[in-house]
């Protein structure tokens, strides 16, 4: 069926265009349309087999490098090394496979939102059919508790309210009507005469004609967006791929030079082939992916303790470079619990403390606590709010202390019950004092609800609550300090000013009124809700989470921009954003209509100045994320609804709410917040930054060590010297000595100022900010001192080559083990951090040192590794040489600091 603005058309026109009547379709028409439109199901796109998903994990560049290293290790006869590398490849492949399988389940979860059955009219009779069999033109009947089975244009409503938060993000149920909406471009949340697939009927009844099924529905549009949204490589994945390519090309070039030079200097071809292959294996740190995985996995465990569940390992690191957090409002920044914060009665503003559905809080007047039961006007207003009410406030059972409080029914009415309960007024007490006789239910035309009650004295009253502007027009009197006085122009103006004052504070206001009924017959009049006595105003809000204020301030200090994206109204969104510190002076607020009018290029230009997006659709959220990404941002997108899923998947990292989030949002995400707490995101960012720093630390350590190994061999071949290191020794250093300290660096505690820095540029190389320079300088120094020890020993004892090689072997290992402590600081050196902060590193270094000693002194291992025992003076020489790379640079750093201080003192 062609795209039609059904919400802008009248009921008769909709029935005409869908070629149906209020009596529904005939069975023959249904079959014809099913052939034309297909089943009312969401498609899953092109199916990828599990085998293909698994094999795709082994196409990565670094994996291919590791496979080559496996072959080389096998040729050398180092089967343990080869088996280790293969195990690493398989483990990484399985992890990636499981992550992709879980991510692809998002569409299956989306399908579960479709209603299993539908009540429809066919052949003039009411029947229940599988929802998948609905076709455009079917007449569907809706009742409270039903899930809407397809997109409907409503043709009849009776107090119909539908909860659409999973689709629009709006926290309150939407009151429906059948009237056409003039604006053809009205957003989904403003189409009050439409009902959409997957949403839930919370109140009343309705009848609608099916105008879209399957993938043509709004839910189908979201499914299509999820299918077509591209999965983004994380910065870590891009950096490691870049690192792998650089290492391979450099290593192969240098290895080729070493082999050719050695042959030209008279070394045997086979001998140099083995040496060259050993260098190639050493130069490519095949343990790096394993160490990265271990570091990320340990970070995941820490994050679980901080209430963040990671679904994709690399996402931990991605959070660390996030520069923008796009956050949903309802349930993420706010508590998703309507709460009364202010009451206006008898010309006075009463503030109400407490939040959520807990009936705990106090009433304050001008900052001082008051007892509402001793203030007659306030008490009577609270009683009317609780009597004119169909909700229930229930405490769930959970042990002796009781469980959490829950509202069953309309959240607004629940807020009124909680308000009364804070004053010690319960529905049970009111039911004993006043009997309900009848109800005039809320509808979108009247915008009010009334109940008729009778007290023990036989007095009948009409109690009313509704929209302030509507209710005020029906009031002829007002209650002021216990007296009913006529509603004058000045009093009316005072009510309107109070309403405006409360609205500016983002409060959603309700007016309360009543009138005594002398003759019950007058209630049968066409419009009994007239001549009312105005009681006051009740202002409520979905309050911000208490910890959000500090979390957003911390994000600002860390250079991270927080953006609110919500389906709620612009006034409410703007007020909340300003209150919690998201919206700075001069920051822009844009609604869905304005966003729709912008081109992608215009949005990309303005997106840096926009902090709040209100009344937006799923397509808008996707556009916002992509505009930020085009400007170079690393975007974290949070959300809980079906409408958030496409943007969550397209973002650099998607974050879903664990408690209130839909399965669709969770499956599309990389990170799930177990406590739905925005502050948990900040904790995750801190962990992510620390993990990335640790990855850079062990990359620096491993590569500096490898540079030293290559340089020793390279310079020896150029100088025409014998091999200073044997292939088996190089492989042993690469597999054992390098690995344990590198893993220990992966659990290094984060530095204290980590959240005082701006996010790193996602385009920066892993060698940026001095890491590349440190790798080269430390590696060159390690290579020089190792070669120097070898040459001096060999020169002194030319007939004892094995001892010279043992000395070089020991110097290389000890220089690396000392250097690992220098790698702990990103910007400082070996003395800038407490060595006891990371006991695992001390243990790892001790084990590596013991392994070195065992290779040198355990007799069965000496012939394997071609080593001989060293005496005390040999070890003194080894340790003195091994300390030079780290301590010489530390001394230079200290000298530079002193010189800077001297210049500053001189300038003063």
């Amino acid at each position: 069926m062609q795209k039609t603005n059904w919400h802008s058309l009248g009921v008769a026109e909709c029935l005409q265009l869908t070629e149906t009547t209020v009596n529904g379709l005939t069975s023959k028409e249904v079959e014809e349309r099913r052939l034309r439109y297909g089943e009312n199901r969401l498609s899953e796109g092109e199916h990828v087999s599990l085998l293909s998903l698994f094999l795709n994990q082994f196409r990565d560049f670094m994996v291919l490098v590791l496979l080559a290293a496996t072959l080389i290790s096998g040729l050398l006869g180092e089967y343990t090394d080869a088996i280790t590398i293969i195990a690493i490849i398989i483990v990484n492949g399985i992890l990636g496979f499981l992550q992709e399988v879980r991510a692809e389940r998002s569409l299956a979860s989306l399908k579960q939102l479709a209603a299993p059955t539908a009540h429809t009219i066919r052949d003039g009779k009411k029947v229940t059919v599988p929802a998948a069999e609905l076709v455009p033109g079917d007449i569907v009947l809706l009742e409270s508790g039903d899930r809407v089975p397809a997109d409907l244009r409503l043709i009849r409503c009776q107090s119909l309210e539908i909860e659409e938060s999973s689709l629009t993000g709006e926290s309150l149920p939407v009151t429906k009507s059948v009237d056409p909406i003039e604006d053809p471009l009205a957003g989904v949340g403003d189409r009050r005469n439409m009902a959409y697939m997957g949403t839930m009927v919370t109140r009343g009844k309705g009848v609608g004609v099916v105008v879209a099924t399957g993938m043509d529905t709004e839910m189908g549009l979201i499914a299509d967006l999820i299918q077509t949204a591209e999965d983004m490589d994380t910065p870590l994945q891009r950096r490691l791929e870049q690192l792998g390519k650089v290492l391979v090309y450099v290593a192969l070039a240098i290895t080729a030079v070493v082999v050719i030079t050695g042959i030209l200097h008279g070394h045997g071809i086979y001998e140099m082939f083995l040496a060259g292959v050993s260098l190639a294996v050493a130069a490519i740190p095949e343990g790096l992916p394993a160490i990265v995985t271990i570091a990320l996995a340990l970070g995941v465990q820490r994050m679980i303790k901080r209430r963040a569940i990671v679904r994709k390992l690399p996402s931990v690191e991605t959070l660390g470079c996030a520069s923008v957090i796009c956050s949903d409002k309802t349930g993420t920044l706010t508590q998703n619990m309507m709460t009364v914060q202010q009451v206006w009665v008898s010309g006075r503003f009463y503030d109400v403390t407490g939040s959520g559905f807990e009936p705990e809080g106090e009433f304050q007047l001008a900052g001082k606590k008051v007892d509402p039961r001793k203030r007659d006007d306030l008490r009577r207003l609270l009683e009317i709010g609780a009597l004119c009410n169909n909700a229930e406030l229930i405490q769930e059972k959970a042990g002796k202390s009781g469980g959490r409080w829950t509202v069953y029914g309309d959240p607004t009415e629940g807020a009124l019950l909680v308000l009364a309960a804070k004053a010690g007024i319960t529905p049970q007490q009111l039911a004993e004092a006043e009997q309900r006789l009848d109800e005039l239910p809320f509808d979108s035309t009247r915008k009010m609800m009334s109940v008729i009650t009778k007290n023990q004295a036989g007095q009948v009253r009409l109690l009313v609550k509704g929209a302030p502007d509507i209710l005020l027009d029906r009031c002829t009197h007002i209650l002021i300090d216990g007296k009913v006085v006529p509603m004058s122009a000045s009093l009316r103006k005072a009510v309107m000013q109070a309403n405006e004052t409360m609205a500016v504070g983002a409060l959603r206001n309700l007016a309360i009124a009543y009138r005594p009924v002398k003759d019950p017959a007058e209630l049968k009049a066409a419009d009994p809700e007239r001549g009312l006595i105005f009681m006051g105003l009740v202002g409520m809000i979905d309050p911000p989470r208490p910890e959000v204020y500090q979390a957003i301030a911390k994000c600002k200090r860390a250079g991270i921009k927080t953006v609110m994206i919500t389906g709620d109204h612009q006034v409410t969104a703007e007020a909340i954003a300003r209150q919690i510190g998201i919206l700075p002076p001069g920051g822009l607020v844009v609604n869905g209509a304005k966003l729709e009018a912008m081109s992608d290029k215009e949005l990309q230009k303005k997106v840096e100045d926009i902090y709040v997006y209100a009344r937006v659709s799923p397509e808008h959220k996707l556009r916002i994320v992509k505009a930020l990404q085009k400007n170079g941002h690393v975007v974290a997108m949070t959300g809980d609804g079906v409408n958030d899923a496409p943007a969550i998947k397209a973002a650099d990292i998607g974050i879903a709410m664990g408690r209130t989030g839909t399965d669709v949002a969770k499956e599309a995400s990389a990170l799930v917040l177990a406590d739905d707490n925005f502050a948990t995101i900040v904790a995750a960012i801190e962990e992510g930054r620390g993990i990335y720093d640790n990855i850079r630390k062990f990359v620096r350590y491993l590569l500096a060590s490898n540079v030293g190994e290559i340089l020793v061999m390279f310079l020896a071949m150029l100088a025409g010297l014998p091999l200073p290191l044997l292939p088996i020794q190089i492989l042993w250093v690469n597999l054992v000595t390098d690995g344990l300290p590198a893993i220990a660096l992966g659990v290094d505690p984060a530095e204290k100022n980590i959240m005082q820095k701006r996010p790193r540029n996602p385009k920066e190389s892993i060698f940026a900010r001095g890491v590349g320079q440190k790798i080269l300088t430390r590696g060159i120094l390690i290579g020089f001192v190792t070669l120097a020890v070898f040459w001096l020993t060999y020169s002194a004892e030319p007939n004892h080559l094995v001892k010279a090689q043992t000395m070089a072997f020991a110097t290389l290992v000890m220089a690396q083990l000392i250097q690992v402590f220098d790698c702990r600081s990103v910007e400082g050196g070996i003395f800038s951090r407490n060595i006891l902060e990371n006991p695992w590193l001390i243990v790892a270094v001790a084990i590596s040192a013991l392994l070195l000693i065992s290779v040198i002194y355990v007799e069965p291992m000496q012939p394997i590794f071609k080593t001989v025992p060293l005496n005390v003076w040999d070890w003194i020489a080894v340790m003195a040489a091994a300390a030079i790379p780290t301590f010489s640079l530390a001394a230079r750093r200290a000298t530079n600091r002193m010189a800077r201080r001297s210049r500053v003192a001189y300038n003063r």
Side-chain angles (χ1 to χ4, degrees), residues 460 515-522:
V460 178
R515 75 177 177 90
V517 178
K518 297 180 180 179
D519 183 4
E522 64 185 273

Side-chain angles (χ1 to χ4, degrees), residues 213-234:
T213 58
M215 294 300 288
D216 293 326
T217 63
E218 290 293 326
M219 196 69 72
L221 176 61
I222 293 175
D224 184 62
L225 290 173
I226 294 176
Q227 289 175 4
T228 56
E230 297 180 2
D231 286 320
M232 303 293 294
D233 282 342
T234 70

Side-chain angles (χ1 to χ4, degrees), residues 58-231:
F58 302 97
R59 295 180 180 176
D60 182 74
F61 181 78
M62 277 296 284
V63 172
L64 297 177
V65 171
L66 293 178
L67 289 172
T70 305
L71 177 61
I72 293 170
S73 298
L75 292 175
L76 281 171
E78 297 299 324
Y79 301 114
T80 302
D81 199 21
I83 291 171
T84 301
I85 300 171
I86 290 175
I88 291 167
I89 294 172
I90 292 174
V91 169
N92 285 340
I94 291 173
L95 286 174
F97 168 72
L98 292 176
Q99 289 161 9
E100 286 201 30
V101 169
R102 292 172 69 185
E104 292 306 316
R105 283 166 45 197
S106 58
L107 287 177
S109 299
L110 188 65
K111 290 176 67 178
Q112 293 175 4
L113 287 179
T117 60
H119 306 298
T120 184
I121 298 175
R122 288 184 179 168
D123 299 315
K125 298 178 181 178
K126 179 181 177 181
V127 294
T128 300
V129 300
E133 296 181 3
L134 287 178
V135 295
D138 261 326
I139 301 298
V140 174
L141 311 177
L142 299 175
E143 293 184 0
S144 180
D146 287 350
R147 192 178 291 280
V148 179
D151 283 5
L152 312 177
R153 169 58 166 93
L154 297 170
I155 61 176
R156 190 159 62 245
C157 293
Q158 182 180 347
S159 303
L160 181 64
E161 292 184 5
I162 298 180
E163 197 269 306
E164 298 178 339
S165 63
S166 65
L167 187 65
T168 66
E170 187 167 357
S171 55
L172 297 174
V174 179
T175 303
K176 296 295 182 177
S177 70
V178 299
D179 301 327
I181 295 170
E182 293 182 5
D183 183 5
L185 300 179
V188 172
D190 294 319
R191 300 173 192 172
R192 299 301 177 105
N193 53 16
M194 299 290 295
Y196 292 104
M197 174 190 274
T199 58
M200 184 70 72
V201 179
T202 59
R203 185 177 183 181
K205 298 180 179 181
V207 179
V209 55
V210 176
V211 295
T213 58
M215 294 300 288
D216 293 326
T217 63
E218 290 293 326
M219 196 69 72
L221 176 61
I222 293 175
D224 184 62
L225 290 173
I226 294 176
Q227 289 175 4
T228 56
E230 297 180 2
D231 286 320

Side-chain angles (χ1 to χ4, degrees), residues 532-825:
L532 301 176
I533 301 169
F534 192 87
M535 284 288 296
L537 299 168
V538 176
M540 58 188 69
I541 194 174
D542 181 7
R545 293 177 173 272
E547 60 278 0
V548 158
Y549 300 89
Q550 185 178 353
I552 290 174
K554 197 170 186 178
C555 283
K556 286 183 177 180
R557 290 194 297 271
I560 301 167
K561 178 183 179 181
T562 307
V563 177
M564 179 191 290
I565 304 179
T566 178
D568 272 357
H569 289 281
Q570 181 172 334
V571 174
T572 303
E574 182 175 351
I576 290 288
R578 203 177 299 280
Q579 179 183 346
I580 62 180
I582 285 181
L583 187 62
L588 299 181
V589 180
V590 172
N591 59 31
K594 290 182 181 178
L595 190 60
E596 189 70 34
M598 290 185 195
S599 67
D600 288 344
K601 288 186 178 179
E602 288 175 328
L603 177 58
Q604 190 178 342
K605 288 180 182 178
K606 294 183 178 180
V607 73
E608 300 294 338
D609 299 319
I610 303 173
Y611 289 80
V612 179
Y613 297 86
R615 305 299 283 173
V616 294
S617 67
E619 302 98 307
H620 293 153
K621 295 184 178 185
L622 204 55
R623 285 185 64 200
I624 294 164
V625 168
K626 289 183 176 180
L628 288 164
Q629 287 172 334
K630 286 179 181 177
N631 283 357
H633 288 289
V634 175
V635 182
M637 171 71 193
T638 74
D640 54 7
V642 175
N643 61 313
D644 299 321
I648 285 175
K649 186 175 181 183
D652 296 277
I653 176 164
I655 308 170
M657 301 299 110
R659 289 181 180 174
T660 59
T662 60
D663 286 343
V664 181
K666 292 174 187 175
E667 293 299 332
S669 69
L671 189 74
V672 178
L673 305 183
D675 55 1
D676 290 9
N677 193 335
F678 183 85
T680 304
I681 301 172
V682 182
I685 288 174
E686 189 171 354
E687 288 289 350
R689 289 187 174 190
I691 288 169
Y692 186 75
D693 278 354
N694 287 349
I695 290 171
R696 280 163 53 89
K697 291 174 190 176
F698 61 65
V699 165
R700 170 184 158 189
Y701 169 68
L702 288 175
L703 296 191
S705 301
N706 290 0
V707 167
E709 295 166 23
I710 291 175
L711 194 61
V712 170
M713 301 294 285
F714 180 68
L715 294 177
M717 293 304 97
L718 288 180
L721 295 172
L723 289 179
L725 296 168
L726 297 176
I728 188 65
Q729 293 171 347
I730 295 174
L731 290 173
W732 188 90
V733 171
N734 191 48
L735 184 65
V736 180
T737 309
D738 287 355
L740 289 176
I743 291 173
L745 280 176
V747 297
D748 211 34
E751 296 188 71
K752 294 180 180 179
N753 64 342
I754 197 166
M755 288 300 284
Q756 305 297 323
K757 303 174 184 177
R758 295 191 62 80
R760 69 181 182 277
N761 187 339
K763 295 180 181 179
E764 78 171 22
S765 165
I766 201 165
F767 303 113
R769 290 181 283 155
V771 169
Q773 180 184 356
K774 290 175 181 177
I775 288 172
L776 289 175
T777 55
R778 274 61 167 182
I780 290 170
L781 285 172
I782 289 172
F784 269 114
V785 297
T786 302
L787 185 61
V789 168
F790 170 77
W791 180 73
L792 290 172
T793 306
Y794 180 66
S795 298
E797 303 178 60
N799 296 324
H800 205 342
L801 177 60
V802 175
K803 181 179 179 181
Q805 290 173 331
T806 304
M807 290 283 286
F809 179 41
T811 302
L812 177 67
V813 171
M814 294 311 300
Q816 292 178 3
L817 295 183
I818 294 172
Q819 191 236 166
V820 74
F821 292 100
D822 185 60
C823 293
R824 289 193 61 225
S825 176

Side-chain angles (χ1 to χ4, degrees), residues 435-452:
Q435 176 188 0
R436 179 186 284 204
L437 302 177
D438 202 356
E439 175 185 344
L440 301 176
F442 178 90
D443 66 48
S444 58
T445 303
R446 290 167 42 250
K447 293 187 178 180
M448 65 181 73
M449 169 195 174
S450 300
V451 296
I452 303 162

